[in-house]
Structures are given as structure tokens and as C-alpha cells.
Amino acid sequence: MSNLQWPELVIFTLLFLLVTVLGFVASRWKAGNTLDHLDEWGLGGRKFGSWITWFLLGGDLYTAYTFVAVPALMFGAGALGMYALPYTIIVYPIVLLPALRMWSVSRSRGYVTPADFVRGRFGSPTLALLVAITGIVATMPYIALQLVGLESVLRTMGLNGSGIVGHLPLLIAFVILALYTYQSGLRAPALIAFVKDILIYIVILVAIIYLPIKLGGWSHIFDSAAAKLAKPNPATGKPSGSILLTSNNQLQYATLALGSALALFLYPHSLTSVLASRGRSVIKRNMVALPAYSLLLGLLALLGYVAITAGVKPINNNATGKPDSNTIVPVLFDTQFPSWFAGIAFAAIGIGALVPAAIMSIAAANLWTRNIYKEYIKKNATPGQEAKQAKLASLIVKFGAVAFILFIDPQFSIDLQLMGGVMILQTLPAVALSLYTRWFHRWGLIAGWVVGMGWGLIMLYGIPNPANGKKHFGGSALPLGDLSIFGWHPFAGSAVQIYPGFVALIANIVVAVIVTVIARQLKVVNGTDQTEPEDYHADEHDKDLRPIGVH
């Protein structure tokens, strides 16, 4: 404890206490008659306006892990880390129309989760269960990674012990998060997101102006980054990266950006924030305004190059003894700014972990409650019983994420998140494409899900990382030469890389189409569509719209 950075720690604690108070006060903010209903507890009463939704989605999509991991990737690999910028730009025009249709049908039919929609669209509990399980499994490591972001800040401030005692600050933070989320539901992260996003904007804008002036300008920063990345990696003998894409990773960059964009709003927490909005007009405004966060993310990513120029050395991981690249940004602020400002920056990142973690745990709890508990365990559950079950599930999800950090190498969470992105992408045909067509047969979608999921995980498993000695799950860059289709290598010898999730999605859709054609030829009965065409165009001003809380 002798290395504690007391000024930073005091400011961090004060701002953390502020959001804690906001979290508990949120239960009375825009409150309905009761929080003992999923529409109220899990979706904030479905009445968030444009500003609240903008801050909520911003806090949900641009997480603490994003703010430490993207600059860390730039620091270690160079230009490839910039994939996050185009992906968070193209995502909004891609999802605008599907998000509007999902909001309308969910509001009309009382759906709370994407699996609810799949259940109603195809009349298939099995397909809905697969979508729900995929969402929960993909979300769990995402929550754990928020802890990785928070822990990188705590370690920089000197709270870097090991074991349960060493992780006590992290445990305390998540116990408080669990309590106010249990009490206030989605209203807690919605209110806290205002503080988090304002702090993030202030910190990044100051950093992106002040640091280049201090370090000799952007030209010097890019020259320093290019020189450092061009040096051979001792483990591979090859350059660590480049400030420009190479002929081998351009395809990976494009498919990773596109695949990530297609996957982002398939995550349950993203759709939860969309469904919590008041109406279609709110969603339209947000899809126009959210790219402002992408501009911020692009500026933030450049801090990876700034850290190279500043000579930042990452803090070693206590468990492995190896440098932890996720500490790059916290160490940069710790060494280049006065303690009081570094404390504000650390609070911004720390609070940035709490907002998405809360939303993610609520989204996972909604999936468990509506699509597993009510579907298979207690079909006649009352709204109050659903809400209680969701609250308990949200606690279990949070402490499951803490267990990942305490008892399992955090790198495993990163591996799982890598898999989660590929996995959630496989729900695209059932969730997104089915908003426009019911041509697919439910068994075709199930078969496509199985093939896409299986092949995607097999491809990820076979990717090594010589730089850190990993033989499996070494990254998201699959050489086309290693792509195998039943032993056939169509691109044998090619060093061009591609994102495995994108390949798996193509296989998923192809199989879904083939099985659907066969099922239609054999006249296999499909499930009953419980939705109506007008459901997909319902507006918040429709007089015959189903009252909130009535399913």
C-alpha cells in the first residue's frame, strides 16, 4: 500500500460515491407505479427520451474495456486497432431500420428480449432458447472485461494486490453496483451514464489537445510510433505492427469491422437500450447523433501512439508477471498529467465499467427470466415473480463475472469475449433478417446456427499467437491458407487474413437457406407467426398500442 497514489484515489473515490448516490436515487427517477415488472425494472418503463437514450447507448456501447483495449491494440499492433472507428461509424446506418422494426414489434407485442421476438415470429421455443443462451454466454465475459478495465485503473493507483484481499476494492465496487442495480433496475445506469459520458468527453478532449503539444506534435508522434512498431518482435522476429495496413491484413480489417458492426446490436444489452426508448423518433435521432462517440473513440485510439512517444511502460500482471497492455492508458494519464486530473480520468474509466456492466447484467437477466425461467420452469409466472427472478439473476451474473477475475486468468475472459463476438453474430439470421422476412424455416435457422457456431469456434481454436506463445484462441486473424472446408483448402498458401466470425456467418446463412429449401420441398410444418404486419410499423403515437406492462 506504500505505492498508493492518494490524490488520484481520493478524487476517484469521491466521484464513485457520487454515482453510487445517483444509482440509489434512480429508483425514484421517472418511476412508474411499481418496479415489480420487467417493463419497469428491466426497460425503465420504455419511456426514455432522446437525451437519456443517447447517454445510455453511449455508456452501453463505448465501455471501460473499449477505452483501455483500443489504445492498447494501437500501442501493440498499430493501424489494425483503428478497425473500431469504421465499425462504429457504419453500424448506425446498418441498424437504423432493423432497430425501428424491432422497437415497434416489441412495443406492440410486449417483447422484452430478442429471443421473445424469435419465439413469437417462428413459434419455436427451441430456436428462442438457442438465441437466449447465445446472448447470455456472449454477455458474461463482456461483463468480466469491464472488470479488467476497472482493475487496470485500480492497479495504476497502487491497488494492485492479488487474491481476494488484493481484489477487495474491486469487490466493494461491484457489491455496490449489484445493490443499486437490484433496487433501481435500468434507471440506475441510465442516470449514471450522464456523469460517465461527460467525464469521458472532458478527459479525452483535454488529452488529445494537451499531450501532442507536450510531446512535440502529431508528426513526431506518428514517426515515433512507426519506428517502434517496425522493430522486430523478439518472439517472432517480425515487426510488431505498422501505422499502415499491409496487404495481408486489409481483408481482416474490413471483415472485422463489418462483422463487428453486424454483431453490435445483436448483443442483448444493445437491444435493451433500444427497447427502453420512448419511440421510433428517439431511435432515429440517436442513430444520427451516436457517431459523435465514434469521433471520440477515434481520438482515444490515437492515445496508443501517444503512449509510445511518451515511453509508457505497462504495469506487470501479478498473476503472469508479464506486462499488461490494458494499463497503457491509465499509466499514460498517471505520468503525463497532474494527480487531480489523472484522478478524474481514472474515475471516468472506472464509472465507464459500471454503466455497461449494469446494463449487460440486466439484459442477461431478462433473457434468463423470459426465455428460460418462464418458458421452461414456471410458465404461469406473474409479472412480480418475473421481476424478482430477473433481479436475482442479475446478481448471479455480476458475481459470476467477478469470479472470472478472482479465480481465472483474466486472459480467459478476453478469449471468451473473442468467442462471444463470433457467437452472437450467428443469431443474425434469426433476429435481424427475420424482421424483414419469414421465408426461413425454423429448422433451417437452427441448422445454420449449429454450423456457424461450431465452425466459428473451431476456426478460433486453431489460431495461434506466436508473440505470446498461445497455441489456441490467439486472435481474430485467420490466414485464408488455413481455411479448411472438409479438408479442402480453397486458398492454400495465401497469407491474407480474414475475420473467422464473418466466414462462419456466411456458412450459417448458406446452410439456413439449403435446409429451408429442403424443408419447404418436404412440406415440413413451420411454427405459427404470432406477429402481424402492422406490428413492425407501430409508432408511439398509435392509439391502439398495447399499454406498457400488458403482455
Side-chain angles (χ1 to χ4, degrees):
M1 294 295 181
S2 60
N3 294 324
L4 284 178
Q5 308 291 331
W6 282 107
E8 299 167 2
L9 187 57
V10 168
I11 293 173
F12 177 90
T13 304
L14 289 174
L15 288 170
F16 187 86
L17 288 175
L18 170 64
V19 300
T20 299
V21 172
L22 290 177
F24 286 109
V25 169
S27 62
R28 299 183 182 88
W29 178 56
K30 290 185 171 291
N33 295 327
T34 176
L35 282 175
D36 290 331
H37 197 292
L38 274 189
D39 276 351
E40 288 293 337
W41 183 85
L43 290 179
R46 300 182 189 257
K47 54 189 176 187
F48 290 160
S50 298
W51 278 106
I52 299 172
T53 302
W54 188 68
F55 279 109
L56 183 64
L57 273 169
D60 187 13
L61 304 180
Y62 300 86
T63 68
Y65 183 69
T66 302
F67 285 118
V68 297
V70 172
L73 184 57
M74 295 283 289
F75 181 89
L80 189 61
M82 287 298 287
Y83 87 92
L85 186 56
Y87 123 59
T88 55
I89 292 174
I90 64 174
V91 62
Y92 301 113
I94 288 175
V95 305
L96 171 60
L97 295 180
L100 292 175
R101 292 176 72 88
M102 179 62 82
W103 183 91
S104 293
V105 70
S106 298
R107 182 67 177 80
S108 296
R109 293 285 160 179
Y111 298 151
V112 176
T113 70
D116 279 351
F117 162 70
V118 172
R119 174 74 169 86
R121 184 65 153 157
F122 293 97
S124 173
T126 303
L127 183 57
L129 178 65
L130 293 178
V131 171
I133 292 175
T134 304
I136 293 171
V137 172
T139 300
M140 282 290 290
Y142 219 152
I143 300 174
L145 288 186
Q146 304 317 307
L147 295 180
V148 172
L150 177 55
E151 194 172 42
S152 69
V153 166
L154 295 175
R155 295 224 312 273
T156 305
M157 291 189 295
L159 298 168
N160 58 351
S162 58
I164 294 179
V165 175
H167 286 96
L168 194 58
L170 193 66
L171 285 172
I172 293 172
F174 252 60
V175 166
I176 295 172
L177 169 68
L179 290 175
Y180 64 63
T181 304
Y182 185 93
Q183 175 178 312
S184 305
L186 192 65
R187 288 176 173 83
L191 191 55
I192 293 171
F194 281 88
V195 178
K196 173 256 184 184
D197 291 348
I198 290 171
L199 289 177
I200 286 288
Y201 269 96
I202 292 172
V203 167
I204 300 306
L205 291 176
V206 169
I208 214 68
I209 295 171
Y210 171 75
L211 289 176
I213 294 173
K214 181 179 180 180
L215 297 173
W218 282 112
S219 177
H220 176 61
I221 288 171
F222 276 96
D223 289 343
S224 299
K228 185 260 185 182
L229 292 168
K231 293 180 180 178
N233 186 309
T236 63
K238 298 178 181 179
S240 302
S242 168
I243 62 170
L244 297 175
L245 295 173
T246 67
S247 58
N248 288 338
N249 64 14
Q250 290 173 7
L251 180 61
Q252 182 208 358
Y253 181 91
T255 53
L256 181 59
L258 179 58
S260 299
L262 293 174
L264 185 60
F265 276 84
L266 294 172
Y267 276 104
H269 58 277
S270 303
L271 279 176
T272 294
S273 299
V274 169
L275 299 184
S277 61
R278 187 171 57 222
R280 292 168 64 99
S281 58
V282 171
I283 297 172
K284 291 175 184 177
R285 293 188 197 105
N286 271 270
M287 293 301 161
V288 171
L290 279 167
Y293 282 96
S294 302
L295 171 63
L296 193 72
L297 181 61
L299 298 176
L300 176 77
L302 294 175
L303 294 183
Y305 290 166
V306 173
I308 291 175
T309 307
V312 168
K313 302 294 182 185
I315 298 172
N316 286 345
N317 186 305
N318 289 327
T320 64
K322 297 179 180 179
D324 180 4
S325 62
N326 290 321
T327 60
I328 289 295
V329 168
V331 171
L332 176 66
F333 280 97
D334 184 47
T335 56
Q336 299 298 316
F337 283 98
S339 296
W340 65 269
F341 188 82
I344 294 174
F346 294 163
I349 297 173
I351 297 168
L354 303 182
V355 173
I359 302 171
M360 291 169 191
S361 66
I362 290 169
N366 289 345
L367 284 169
W368 158 261
T369 302
R370 290 299 295 268
N371 307 115
I372 299 177
Y373 173 76
K374 187 172 183 178
E375 183 73 50
Y376 294 97
I377 299 174
K378 192 164 186 175
K379 290 182 178 292
N380 60 347
T382 65
Q385 289 171 328
E386 285 186 24
K388 183 177 181 180
Q389 187 68 207
K391 291 177 181 180
L392 293 173
S394 74
L395 293 178
I396 294 171
V397 167
K398 288 186 192 70
F399 288 107
V402 172
F404 266 102
I405 301 299
L406 288 180
F407 304 114
I408 301 175
D409 183 355
Q411 180 60 45
F412 186 59
S413 297
I414 297 172
D415 294 340
L416 285 178
Q417 169 55 18
L418 181 67
M419 290 184 270
V422 172
M423 292 168 65
I424 202 69
L425 197 53
Q426 306 317 310
T427 65
L428 184 141
V431 175
L433 297 185
S434 297
L435 285 166
Y436 290 92
T437 177
R438 201 174 173 273
W439 179 84
F440 287 104
H441 195 282
R442 56 180 173 172
W443 289 110
L445 293 171
I446 291 172
W449 180 91
V450 171
V451 170
M453 192 73 67
W455 197 23
L457 294 179
I458 288 172
M459 285 187 286
L460 285 176
Y461 179 81
I463 297 176
N465 188 339
N468 59 20
K470 293 188 65 174
K471 296 181 180 180
H472 307 291
F473 300 113
S476 58
L478 175 73
L480 284 176
D482 294 343
L483 185 63
S484 174
I485 305 175
F486 297 111
W488 174 49
H489 294 268
F491 305 101
S494 175
V496 174
Q497 298 166 332
I498 193 169
Y499 175 50
F502 193 76
V503 177
L505 177 62
I506 294 173
N508 180 339
I509 295 174
V510 168
V511 170
V513 169
I514 292 173
V515 174
T516 295
V517 170
I518 294 172
R520 287 180 173 276
Q521 289 295 321
L522 297 177
K523 294 183 169 37
V524 178
V525 177
N526 207 353
T528 303
D529 186 1
Q530 299 169 5
T531 67
E532 301 291 341
E534 57 268 23
D535 290 339
Y536 297 89
H537 305 284
D539 188 80
E540 62 266 33
H541 303 298
D542 291 350
K543 294 181 180 179
D544 58 347
L545 199 61
R546 183 189 306 252
I548 291 173
V550 178
H551 295 164

